[in-house]
Amino acid sequence: MLKHIALATSLSVLALSTAAVAQDDPTRSKPMAPALPAPVPVAKDVPYAGTIGLNIDATDLDRGLYHVTETIPVAAGTGEIVLLEPSWLPGHHSPSNPVALFSDIHFQVDGKDVPWVRDTVSVNAFHIKLPAGATAVTAKFVHTSPLTSREGRITMTQEMLNLQWDKMSMYPAGYYTRGITFKPTVKFPTGWTVYTALDGFARTGDTVTWSPIDYERLVDSPIFAGKYAKSFDLGHGVKMNAVADEAKDLEISPENMQKYRNLSNEAVSLFGARHFDHYDFLLGLTDEMGGIGLEHHRSSENQMEPKAWVDWDKMDWDHNVIAHEFTHSWDGKFRRGFDLWTPDYQQPMQDSLLWVYEGQTQFWGYILAARSGVQSKQTVLDMWASAAALYSEGEPGREWRSVVDTTNDPIIAQRAPHPYRSLERSEDYYVEGALTWLEADQIIRAGTKGKKGLDDFAKAFFGVRDGDWGELTYNFDDVVKTLNGVYAYDWATFLHNHIYEPNQPAPIKGIEMAGYKLVWKDKPNSYQKGANDYRHSTDLTYSLGMAVGKDGTISSALWNGPAFKAGLVNGVQIIAVNGKAYSGDVLEDAVTAAKSGSTPIQLLIKREDAYTTVPVAYYGGLRYPWLESTTPGKENGFDRLLAARTK
């Protein structure tokens, strides 16, 4: 004991003497922290005086440019104004606005340039000095659409554009965005059709203007416009507005368009209220403009592959985005986590309740797609199978990282590629959240003998205040209270264990309670096959432990999987398999052949400039996830959950 005390005393003396040496070192320069500049004015719930005019010329298709002129009135005697480029964007859950694409920025008063300084801390803020007597400041700048995907998401092509107001406007600091009024005007390419949820559409030639609107709702009302376009009425004030790379890709069959009408019926029936006066799906059938699925209160931005409508059955794997984003009008836009809602686009968002916002939306996106026929029941079951497999065998990172911690990923990672996604995890609040909500649904149905389910929660939680298209916030206790109002249960503990604790059992109990089980077959399910065939990829995650692109380049390696143990990781290119030139079929055949023996698969690989032959010791054959009914020939809980509710 005395030895321990003496050792502890010695360590303390050593630590103190080390600190003293660091402080007394005369040869070491020791700067002091400088004072930070004054913070950007905090938003207040007061109206901004005057209406901001926003004029955008979106006709420069060849160069991918949006030319912006914005006129901001200022109160008499104003000597300086701070203008902000939006930073924290709704739906992105992060400070992800590409402010570097604001270019050639000039501020003018009475036609003359005035000096400006970018804030050195809030680098999206501009401090503009105004001369005496100024009544308005005009901002002129260019928003540059990325021209290639490596520069960012392409928003302008020769056939279509996606204008997002937050990417090409500024707003005065110090005000709630709902208190700042804008008057938007856009000039479009000649003859193009324009779709948006904005009201007061008026067109003169190719210039379109809309009624004045507050900035919060303006940002929430983007535009799709295109050379080839069609619009369809889906009922309940809902429209499907589509633009395409080619006119022929818009020729959807009447029976398939009816499935979108079914979706409108099913969603309104489910939630029992509408939080929009009208709703516009904005859909791009394109592989030229960048992909997107982004929710708004009265619209959504959606992209599907060019043939998603005309090759309906073949492209069924690609159809879920519409059901998912529509659900967000209720879940995410109307009901929103208390720490996620912000008064402007400068205050940081906190994402701790995204397992409700995105988790339930993922759940209802699957369910509504099946109920409406927007996706086949089998495709939806196969999506659930893929989810069950991921969290059963495909994500060892669940051991150390909880679902709720992944709600920070929009801020931490901003969807950048991960070297080892299976270990690091990503935005798992979506799909693991959906599996958690499936189990909650089955607990309610079991406890009420089928009389109630998560449908009742959806009505009670999201379907309140019919006609209100503001935002109604909630916290964890509100979720638990509403669940208990549907069926009394220890929901707080249930949610805490599933969402807030790491190293939990695979979240597949809901599937099993619903009458299905996860099984493995040697053929990919329909969802996997459709996606892999379209992308020309070979997904062997649950056999060799890797996914491979068309040219043999590994795109993901499962942590501690056979490929990983053999030293095969992202970016390694497979040149040959057992002496044969690489193809997906050759690799799959080798996996099948190895099952009957004990000889490792020999892969000739290229890593940087070196070629090496690597043996992979795996003998389990091809394995792909499926769901199999445990009540063959008899309807079970999952079948009933996916069945249509309306005619």
Side-chain angles (χ1 to χ4, degrees), residues 1 12 26 31 62 81 121 161 170 181 195 233 272 282 284 410 428 449 510 532 595 610-611 623 633 635:
M1 184 67 168
S12 298
D62 291 339
I81 186 171
V121 175
L161 63 82
M170 301 181 187
T181 302
Y195 298 124
D233 186 355
L282 309 176
D428 291 293
K449 295 182 169 48
N532 290 339
K595 187 176 181 181
Y611 290 82
R623 297 175 74 246
E635 185 182 59

Side-chain angles (χ1 to χ4, degrees), residues 550-624:
K550 182 179 180 180
D551 68 347
T553 300
I554 297 172
S555 57
S556 69
L558 177 63
W559 186 264
N560 277 336
F564 176 90
K565 290 178 179 178
L568 302 177
V569 295
N570 296 1
V572 169
Q573 185 179 13
I574 302 171
I575 305 300
V577 182
N578 291 337
K580 293 184 178 181
Y582 172 82
S583 73
D585 290 341
V586 167
L587 184 58
E588 289 173 345
D589 289 345
V591 173
T592 299
K595 187 176 181 181
S596 59
S598 58
T599 303
I601 300 168
Q602 301 292 323
L603 300 181
L604 175 62
I605 66 166
K606 179 184 178 186
R607 184 166 189 170
E608 298 173 355
D609 294 330
Y611 290 82
T612 314
T613 297
V614 176
V616 182
Y618 172 75
Y619 313 105
L622 297 170
R623 297 175 74 246
Y624 298 98

Side-chain angles (χ1 to χ4, degrees), residues 77 142 219 310 390 392 451 531 556:
V142 173
V219 166
V310 295
L390 175 64
S392 295
K451 294 179 181 178
S556 69

Side-chain angles (χ1 to χ4, degrees), residues 337-339 351-358 407 474-476 500:
F338 76 99
D339 56 354
D351 296 344
S352 68
L353 288 162
L354 285 181
W355 52 272
V356 182
Y357 182 126
E358 297 290 4
T407 65
Y474 60 86
N475 59 27
F476 180 90
Y500 291 83

Side-chain angles (χ1 to χ4, degrees), residues 72 74 78-84 105-109 112-119 125-131 134 136-139 170-173:
I72 304 100
V74 296
T78 301
E80 178 179 304
I81 186 171
V82 179
L83 295 179
L84 301 172
I105 301 169
H106 296 267
F107 298 101
Q108 297 179 339
V109 172
K112 297 179 180 179
D113 281 6
V114 292
W116 58 270
V117 175
R118 189 187 295 268
D119 196 282
F126 295 84
H127 299 263
I128 302 133
K129 295 289 186 181
L130 302 178
V137 57
T138 298
M170 301 181 187
Y171 68 100

Side-chain angles (χ1 to χ4, degrees), residues 441 444-456 486 640:
D441 173 79
I444 295 169
R445 292 181 191 280
T448 62
K449 295 182 169 48
K451 294 179 181 178
K452 292 183 179 181
L454 208 62
D455 295 59
D456 298 274
V486 175
R640 288 188 288 272

